[in-house]
Amino acid sequence: MSVFAAPVLVIEQRSAALEYEIGDARENPLARGVQAAGERPRKGLLGRFGSGPANARVVVQVSGLDGAPLFFVDRAPDSPVAIVAPDGTLIGRFAEDAAAFARSHLEGRSRLPGGRSDFNQAQQLLDAGGTPLCSITWEPTYVGGVIDHAVGGRACAYTDPDGTELARMERARNQWSGDRYVLHLPFRLPDPLRTLVIASPIAFDLSRS
């Protein structure tokens, strides 16, 4: 099965380096991601504190099992993460949604006793021209009855501009030093949105390095 056709994808960082494996629901390998450019992550104990260098450009190449490139995920400092085709054409970007973040912050202050802060992390998937195609909203996680503001949360919903849910993703730590993402894709999305959604777990991971 192709990585573009699977209804469930498991994306896992397999080591402290920027190495990812993408599999189906049973974790049969479909594609792999490796760092193609940029400073290498720190080794040993220091590498446990992030997926990669925090203030440097890094590029991850995602390829099929035959080694043919499928797309690149390119993170540069202070810029949205770019998703790039094998021929170098920009497919789109993974960007923070500052407006949605601000709205949730203000709603939380008006809703919670004492005006305490409450907010949801949010991102957008943009096409090559900067038009929003999809919103990514992280659902709040509560620990002991108190909201946990750990970056990104544990689950998020992908919705189109009309509010229709297109996909969902869960996030958890794996046995290594990286993250594990389970992406549910109930619809056969058209490109470029399909590629952007599939690339988004790695884009998110790089944005939090």
Side-chain angles (χ1 to χ4, degrees), residues 50-203:
S51 300
N55 296 306
R57 182 188 177 201
V58 292
V59 180
V60 169
Q61 175 182 311
V62 176
S63 303
L65 299 183
D66 60 357
L70 301 176
F71 54 82
F72 295 88
V73 184
D74 185 344
R75 187 208 71 187
D78 303 318
S79 299
V81 180
I83 315 302
V84 182
D87 65 1
T89 303
L90 177 65
I91 298 173
R93 298 184 187 276
F94 173 95
E96 295 298 322
D97 189 341
F101 177 89
R103 284 196 303 271
S104 69
H105 175 74
L106 294 174
E107 290 169 359
R109 289 186 64 85
S110 65
R111 182 175 64 251
L112 297 177
R116 290 185 290 113
S117 177
D118 182 12
F119 59 84
N120 294 337
Q121 296 286 337
Q123 292 89 28
Q124 290 181 308
L125 298 178
L126 313 175
D127 68 14
T131 300
L133 300 179
C134 178
S135 296
I136 305 172
T137 304
W138 291 86
E139 299 167 351
T141 301
Y142 292 88
V143 178
V146 178
I147 193 168
D148 177 15
H149 288 311
V151 174
R154 299 179 186 174
C156 63
Y158 295 68
T159 56
D160 68 13
D162 295 324
T164 301
E165 185 170 302
L166 305 175
R168 291 186 64 81
M169 183 171 72
E170 290 93 39
R171 170 179 178 253
R173 298 295 289 181
N174 65 17
Q175 62 178 329
W176 305 92
S177 60
D179 283 325
R180 170 188 172 93
Y181 304 90
V182 180
L183 184 62
H184 300 268
L185 295 153
F187 304 110
R188 293 292 298 271
L189 301 173
D191 269 329
L193 183 56
R194 176 175 60 176
T195 300
L196 295 174
V197 170
I198 291 171
S200 65
I202 297 177

Side-chain angles (χ1 to χ4, degrees), residues 27-51:
E27 300 190 38
N28 298 309
L30 299 175
R32 294 187 176 92
V34 297
Q35 186 173 351
E39 182 182 344
R40 298 289 169 177
R42 295 171 293 181
K43 301 293 185 180
L45 182 62
L46 291 177
R48 294 180 180 273
F49 294 95
S51 300

